Amino acid sequence: MGKMRTQSVRWRAAAVLASVLLVGGVAACGNSDTGGGGGTKDDGKITMGFSQVGAESGWRTANTISIKEAATAAGIELKFDDAQQKQENQIKAIRNYIQQKVDVIAFSPVVESGWDTVLKEAKDAGIPVILTDRSVDSADKSLYKTFLGSDFVKEGKLAGEWLVEQKKTASGPVNIVELQGSTGAAPANDRKKGFAEAIAANPNLKVIASQTGDFTRAGGKQVMEQFLKANKQIDVLFAHNDDMGLGALEAITAAGKVPGKDITIITIDAVKDGMQALADGKFNFIAECSPLLGPQLMDLAKKVKAGETVPARIETEETTFTTEQAKEALPNRKY
Ligand code: GYE
């Protein structure tokens, strides 16, 4: 099992590398879409303006590193902006990139709604946009070229299905508290939805409290403290990411309860600290969400710049982990 996983990860890495090399070659020989008439006005060098959500979690840190490293490896000049979890900062950054006439704009939208105007501005300026990690709810799909990222509904479902299986013999109510991600963010909306759909299979499973912890450790700790104060019996915590779960561990321990035993803990992401908590038995289950989107993003940028059509949706490959699987995977975990 461990070997097969490692092999498939290696195979995937090799495939990504091969496609990067291949596309790199194509882009280098192809016409520039700005030169016209087969001219080679530019030297094939691509400038990407990237607007990142923030630095709220271990996932985000790993994602930022992946994007910066992949840009360097692909020979793409990267302009990078950290929006500190604020949509207005992202809009500002995107407008700057439009003014600077970058070749491609990529961004991970902090929330789903409210992007039409700025996306239209990019389109009118002839600058292609790639959505990465999180998507937008714009009805006009021509406002962006593609969306590269995870299926967040599926992640929530996998988390819920595991719980349904664990509690299938429960004869009475199972009280669940939920730590939601940032309000309005696609992964918060979708993980909530997927989880709710899955646990509907057993009417004993009830979400008795659900609040945002903003995807941060501090948020997770603070909201879990409130949950513990307000609710006598909490059987399960579902946290929309590892960081909030890690923050909640402190609150649970401080309340004199044993995480992973008195309260079953399910999270999403599978970053190193989360995997360690799972291996230690403090978490019980993690649905993986891969932050290593950099190489595929650069590959897409080259294709889009070369005028190639790309799939409208590219889904990240992911898995799930139990304590045993976390112990096995941890030594090779990259982030
Ligand atoms: O799960 C969380 C981060 O958008 C998938 O954002 C990402 C989420 C990730 O802050 O840890």
Side-chain angles (χ1 to χ4, degrees):
M1 169 76 184
K3 241 187 223 142
M4 270 179 58
R5 269 189 59 83
T6 321
Q7 270 171 5
S8 90
V9 167
R10 276 204 200 112
W11 184 88
R12 266 190 264 155
V16 168
L17 186 66
S19 70
V20 167
L21 291 174
L22 189 70
V23 172
V26 170
C29 313
N31 289 335
S32 133
D33 60 0
T34 50
T40 45
K41 187 182 136 272
D42 62 15
D43 54 3
K45 186 130 183 117
I46 296 174
T47 303
M48 173 188 283
F50 186 88
S51 168
Q52 181 60 292
V53 166
E56 73 284 3
S57 64
W59 191 100
R60 191 62 55 196
T61 307
N63 181 246
T64 292
I65 293 171
S66 171
I67 286 160
K68 288 185 175 171
E69 285 182 355
T72 307
I76 290 180
E77 191 191 323
L78 185 70
K79 293 176 187 289
F80 184 92
D81 184 79
D82 174 339
Q84 299 177 3
Q85 296 240 65
K86 291 205 179 79
Q87 181 172 36
E88 71 217 59
N89 291 346
Q90 288 203 297
I91 292 176
K92 232 183 263 165
I94 294 169
R95 290 201 167 124
N96 269 334
Y97 295 145
I98 296 172
Q99 242 170 23
Q100 293 168 29
K101 298 190 167 49
V102 298
D103 296 302
V104 183
I105 291 172
F107 78 114
S108 174
V110 57
V111 291
E112 279 187 286
S113 302
W115 297 103
D116 288 23
T117 308
V118 73
L119 288 177
K120 179 113 191 344
E121 287 166 23
K123 193 181 173 191
D124 290 346
I127 302 175
V129 171
I130 300 174
L131 301 179
T132 169
D133 161 32
R134 300 180 183 177
S135 192
V136 297
D137 64 4
S138 303
D140 180 358
K141 305 288 176 219
S142 80
L143 293 176
Y144 55 91
K145 295 286 177 201
T146 179
F147 165 40
L148 163 69
S150 308
D151 180 342
F152 301 131
V153 176
K154 187 160 132 197
E155 291 168 354
K157 244 191 206 148
L158 289 169
E161 280 166 4
W162 179 83
L163 187 64
V164 167
E165 178 60 26
Q166 291 302 303
K167 301 288 179 189
K168 66 177 175 211
T169 54
S171 51
V174 175
N175 290 345
I176 305 166
V177 294
E178 180 179 33
L179 284 168
Q180 296 178 34
S182 309
T183 306
N189 296 340
D190 293 355
R191 287 169 183 169
K192 186 175 190 341
K193 182 168 177 256
F195 185 77
E197 274 170 23
I199 63 164
N202 181 348
N204 275 330
L205 305 186
K206 278 220 174 70
V207 177
I208 56 162
S210 180
Q211 255 186 60
T212 180
D214 215 14
F215 278 133
T216 65
R217 283 191 196 204
K221 182 177 175 216
Q222 198 202 324
V223 178
M224 191 68 201
E225 279 165 2
Q226 292 168 22
F227 284 165
L228 285 160
K229 262 187 215 144
N231 302 281
K232 252 196 239 107
Q233 181 64 36
I234 296 175
D235 303 303
V236 178
L237 163 64
F238 170 46
H240 288 187
N241 78 344
D242 289 340
D243 283 82
M244 291 190 295
L246 291 163
L249 287 182
E250 293 178 41
I252 292 169
T253 314
K257 296 195 189 294
V258 183
K261 298 217 163 52
D262 295 335
I263 299 180
T264 300
I265 302 180
I266 307 167
T267 67
I268 294 178
D269 274 357
V271 294
K272 246 194 197 144
D273 290 352
M275 290 288 272
Q276 189 61 58
L278 181 57
D280 294 343
K282 293 176 183 161
F283 286 180
N284 303 83
F285 188 74
I286 304 182
E288 184 186 40
C289 178
S290 174
L292 305 182
L293 304 176
Q296 276 173 297
L297 174 61
M298 299 309 148
D299 180 9
L300 284 166
K302 287 184 174 177
K303 284 185 175 158
V304 161
K305 178 72 195 327
E308 288 178 42
T309 32
V310 294
R313 173 77 172 104
I314 298 161
E315 220 180 276
T316 320
E317 275 185 60
E318 278 146 4
T319 183
T320 59
F321 296 98
T322 58
T323 290
E324 283 317 305
Q325 289 164 330
K327 281 186 192 158
E328 212 178 305
L330 249 180
N332 299 317
R333 206 71 186 158
K334 294 266 175 319
Y335 55 91

